[in-house]
Amino acid sequence: MTKDSGGRDLRITFVGDSFTQGIGDPEFRGWVGRVAADCWAELAAGPDRVTVFNLGVRRNTSADVLARCWGETAVRALPGADNRLVLSVGSNDAVEEGGRPRVAPEACLANVAALLDGARERGLAPLVVGPPPVVGAGAEHLERLLALADGIAGICAGRGVPFVGVTRELAADREWAAEALAGDGAHPGAAGYRRLADLVLRGGLRAWLTEDHSAVGTGLT
C-alpha cells in the first residue's frame, strides 16, 4: 500500500506468525489488511506517503521472528523515513510439543525484549499486539498464553512501548471461537479478523500512527 506525495514517509512493517499473516481469512486480508485499510482511509487525506509490509509467517515463534527480523526489515526501512515495527508473537510459543511449550516463557520474554531493543537501535519505532488465543489448543494453552501476554505487557511497559492487549478479549469472543472451531481450530474467518483489527485500532495503534517517529534511533544509514 503506497501513496506518492510530499510529507512524512510512513513505513510500517508487521512481523509475527500466522495470525499476522491472516491465515483462514477467505478475503485474504486478516487483521493487518483491515487495520491498514482503515488507517489508509484516514491518512489518505493528509500529506503522508504510507507503505505497509506484512511479514507474518505460519508457525513462527518469537525465536523464529527474532532470527529473521532484522534481515527482512533492513530492506524495507529507509533512512530519514518514519519507520515502524508492529510485533505480535507468543501464540506458537505456548503450544506444547513433546510435553513442553515450543518456547519457554522466560525465553519468549527475552526474545520480545531483544526485538524491541533491536528495533529501537535500528530506528524502528515499535508497537506490540498481544498474542491471539488458539481456541482448539484448550484451557491449559490459554492459561499459559494469558500469563505470557501479561509478561509481554510488562516488557513493553518497562520500555515505554505501546502494547495492545487482545488475548482475553478474543478468548471470550463467541464469534472468534465459532469461526476458529469451524476451521482449523486456531484461525478465524473474516468476522474474527475484523474483531481483532478493531481491538488493535481502539487499543492505541491509530493514535500511535499520528505521532511522527521519523529518523528514530541511529541504526539506519
Side-chain angles (χ1 to χ4, degrees):
M1 165 176 93
T2 61
K3 182 173 184 268
D4 294 323
S5 62
R8 183 168 56 124
D9 185 355
L10 179 59
R11 303 172 71 86
I12 315 163
T13 299
F14 292 78
V15 63
D17 52 28
S18 56
F19 288 117
T20 301
Q21 187 181 2
I23 292 295
D25 181 7
E27 299 176 10
F28 297 96
R29 293 195 293 154
W31 68 268
V32 171
R34 287 171 170 80
V35 163
D38 286 8
C39 290
W40 172 246
E42 298 169 10
L43 292 171
D48 302 279
R49 296 190 303 276
V50 184
T51 309
V52 169
F53 306 98
N54 188 333
L55 302 184
V57 174
R58 194 166 196 169
R59 281 186 55 81
N60 262 199
T61 65
S62 61
D64 297 321
V65 169
L66 179 58
R68 66 182 173 87
C69 187
W70 310 131
E72 295 185 6
T73 56
V75 296
R76 292 170 171 86
L78 289 179
D82 188 344
N83 298 293
R84 310 291 185 101
L85 181 73
V86 178
L87 171 69
S88 184
V89 293
S91 299
N92 285 314
D93 296 58
V95 170
E96 280 196 342
E97 289 186 350
R100 65 183 64 185
R102 290 182 62 196
V103 177
E106 60 273 17
C108 177
L109 297 181
N111 291 335
V112 170
L115 284 160
L116 297 183
D117 293 343
R120 287 265 175 82
E121 291 168 3
R122 291 165 174 81
L124 304 169
L127 176 145
V128 177
V129 175
V134 180
V135 176
E140 290 185 358
H141 178 273
L142 179 59
E143 184 177 347
R144 291 193 298 272
L145 198 61
L146 288 170
L148 196 58
D150 288 343
I152 293 172
I155 294 289
C156 292
R159 287 165 169 74
V161 172
F163 174 80
V164 182
V166 302
T167 313
R168 286 179 173 81
E169 290 83 352
L170 293 178
D173 188 275
R174 293 182 179 181
E175 196 162 35
W176 173 277
E179 286 192 340
L181 292 174
D184 61 4
H187 304 97
Y193 279 115
R194 178 70 262 174
R195 169 66 169 146
L196 176 49
D198 289 342
L199 289 173
V200 172
L201 288 166
R202 292 200 303 267
L205 184 138
R206 182 181 275 113
W208 176 71
L209 287 179
T210 66
E211 303 166 0
D212 191 344
H213 292 272
S214 299
V216 170
T218 59
L220 297 176
T221 58

